[in-house]
Amino acid sequence: MSEQKLEIVKTEDKKPKPETDQIPFGKTFTDHMFVMDYETDSGWYNPRIVPYEPLTLDPAAMIFHYGQTVFEGLKAYRAEDDRILLFRPSQNLQRLNRSSERLSIPPIDEERVMYYLTQLISLEQDWVPSTQGTALYIRPFIIATETNLAVAPSHSYKFMIILSPVGPYFSGGLKPVKINVEDQFTRAVKGGTGTAKTAGNYSSGYQAQAKANKEGHADVLWLDGVEKRYIEEVGSMNIFFKINGEVVTPELNGSILNGITRMSIIELLKKWGIPVSERKISIAELYQVYEEGGLEEAFGTGTAAVISPVGELNWLGHQMVVNNHEIGELSQKLYDTITGIQTGKVEDRHEWTVEVQ
Ligand SMILES: *Cc1c(COP(=O)(O)O)cnc(C)c1O
């Protein structure tokens, strides 16, 4: 193992902080970033926090050609007492390594990276906004950097963490959205890369997203790629339904992304004694339940929105209006509880939050 001591180079030229109520997602970045490199012979080396700046890469760098890359997404929240809290960050680093394994990228040392991450956030603490609903979005990612057009795993990589303050996902309360059930395009299949957070999974969804938007829908409900029967995810979120008092979410089947919000919701529901099941659920079953009046709530889950209520689903000309286009009681309670834990307002009985000193 080569030198692992964290080097810190501070910028002389700090940027002004934006008005966090208005900033669009993902366009503003903080003053510093974390970088470390990998070579087959030395492993990960030269961990450093440096001023945020563009990269220089050879046009033949492997990332540009065969998509060998993975990423994560999590947030740092400002508590009312001014502490900075992360939500289950070790889950993100574990998942990063699972994604990397799928993409033949070497693993990172989760404990070391947790240390680097907290050092970076600590240095950038003034960038963690405090307005209700805002946070500092954290984007760790790895790219293949070897200069080589051969179709094979790269021998060199860069791991980086960049930070971006984000405004509230919903302005003016949680608004249920209209969703198009996609019947043509596929997000992922078992044995593919759907369980990994890797670039191509997202750009391959843009056509379906554009189709949905054109018809006035906010997002896409993905069905399984083989039979187009079973429900998988909604946009880049996991999906839950409340059906006759029971909460149902598709089981992790090898093509669904294992969301940390999803996992946390299942744990909360179990603790609350609300029946929850992870199982196969077909769109036809959902429609039948809907016609019988049993579809009580529907919502997507993910780090960005936490809970995104679904007000309407459209599937091959069948319309399902959920809870009269209003947010359901359980959806609201889950949202309030999770955002409350994330921001220190609700007692964290699960030890989900990690304070950045
Ligand atoms: C990131 C992601 C999710 C949600 O995961 P969280 O850990 O809850 O943020 C769900 N589906 C897809 C496809 C994702 O990329």
Side-chain angles (χ1 to χ4, degrees):
M1 254 319 179
S2 51
E3 186 60 61
Q4 292 291 310
K5 196 176 169 331
L6 179 63
E7 177 197 358
I8 300 180
V9 182
K10 289 188 189 169
T11 179
E12 302 284 293
D13 187 19
K14 287 197 177 175
K15 303 171 206 169
K17 312 274 186 301
E19 287 296 323
T20 45
D21 299 29
Q22 283 129 45
I23 35 172
F25 177 81
K27 292 195 183 187
T28 314
F29 297 92
T30 68
D31 295 312
H32 299 89
M33 61 186 187
F34 173 81
V35 192
M36 71 178 171
D37 301 300
Y38 179 94
E39 299 289 342
T40 304
D41 297 340
S42 46
W44 290 106
Y45 68 99
N46 196 11
R48 57 205 186 271
I49 290 172
V50 293
Y52 188 97
E53 61 176 11
L55 295 176
T56 302
L57 289 173
D58 194 287
M62 288 178 124
I63 172 59
F64 298 132
H65 304 278
Y66 311 122
Q68 206 191 3
T69 179
V70 293
F71 69 92
E72 266 303 326
L74 67 160
K75 286 173 174 175
Y77 306 86
R78 176 79 67 181
E80 268 170 7
D81 59 8
D82 231 32
R83 289 180 305 147
I84 295 170
L85 302 174
L86 301 173
F87 185 72
R88 313 189 78 173
S90 57
Q91 292 287 345
N92 292 92
L93 298 183
Q94 284 172 32
R95 186 171 63 191
L96 183 72
N97 271 342
R98 292 199 302 271
S99 297
S100 287
E101 188 181 12
R102 181 65 187 85
L103 274 291
S104 299
I105 293 171
I108 46 110
D109 180 328
E110 290 163 24
E111 249 170 71
R112 290 302 298 171
V113 169
M114 184 67 77
Y115 169 75
Y116 303 143
L117 171 65
T118 51
Q119 291 298 110
L120 177 65
I121 292 165
S122 184
L123 179 67
E124 301 288 65
Q125 54 184 274
D126 293 348
W127 283 92
V128 182
S130 55
T131 319
Q132 166 99 26
T134 63
L136 185 65
Y137 184 78
I138 304 165
R139 169 56 58 91
F141 64 104
I142 303 175
I143 55 172
T145 52
E146 185 182 333
T147 302
N148 189 345
L149 294 182
V151 182
S154 177
H155 291 95
S156 57
Y157 299 87
K158 254 186 204 321
F159 172 91
M160 305 183 62
I161 305 173
I162 54 175
L163 306 174
S164 174
V166 291
Y169 194 89
F170 300 102
S171 38
L174 279 73
K175 271 193 220 76
V177 292
K178 282 167 78 169
I179 300 292
N180 183 49
V181 182
E182 176 55 44
D183 52 48
Q184 181 192 357
F185 294 108
T186 294
R187 192 193 87 88
V189 286
K190 189 174 175 183
T193 57
T195 58
K197 269 185 152 23
T198 186
N201 289 350
Y202 302 85
S203 47
S204 60
Y206 294 164
Q207 275 190 288
Q209 178 72 39
K211 202 172 81 178
N213 291 160
K214 221 169 117 193
E215 295 157 10
H217 296 99
D219 230 320
V220 173
L221 185 77
W222 297 106
L223 302 179
D224 78 88
V226 179
E227 297 180 84
K228 291 275 181 289
R229 272 177 68 189
Y230 295 102
I231 296 169
E232 299 231 317
E233 300 201 45
V234 58
S236 298
M237 290 183 280
N238 295 113
I239 182 93
F240 285 77
F241 303 99
K242 184 161 169 265
I243 296 172
N244 295 314
E246 184 192 36
V247 180
V248 178
T249 190
E251 66 191 2
L252 300 176
N253 59 354
S255 54
I256 292 172
L257 197 289
N258 187 354
I260 295 159
T261 318
R262 174 188 184 278
M263 181 192 305
S264 307
I265 284 170
I266 293 169
E267 289 172 38
L268 276 178
L269 291 171
K270 286 185 175 161
K271 203 189 78 182
W272 293 345
I274 295 173
V276 52
S277 80
E278 297 173 68
R279 65 171 171 89
K280 277 188 157 183
I281 176 163
S282 70
I283 188 71
E285 178 191 339
L286 190 78
Y287 187 63
Q288 193 187 338
V289 162
Y290 169 75
E291 289 220 294
E292 292 164 4
L295 178 56
E296 294 160 354
E297 299 186 30
F299 53 92
T301 71
T303 296
V306 181
I307 298 274
S308 177
V310 173
E312 185 180 317
L313 287 160
N314 289 290
W315 171 53
L316 299 174
H318 300 297
Q319 187 194 44
M320 299 175 236
V321 173
V322 188
N323 198 36
N324 201 20
H325 290 109
E326 282 162 33
I327 178 155
E329 207 178 302
L330 183 64
S331 311
Q332 185 74 54
K333 185 177 172 191
L334 283 163
Y335 178 81
D336 293 343
T337 306
I338 293 184
T339 55
I341 293 171
Q342 287 167 337
T343 54
K345 282 198 279 281
V346 170
E347 194 196 341
D348 175 17
R349 298 211 186 111
H350 306 260
E351 297 186 17
W352 283 343
T353 54
V354 172
E355 187 180 343
V356 177
Q357 301 287 347

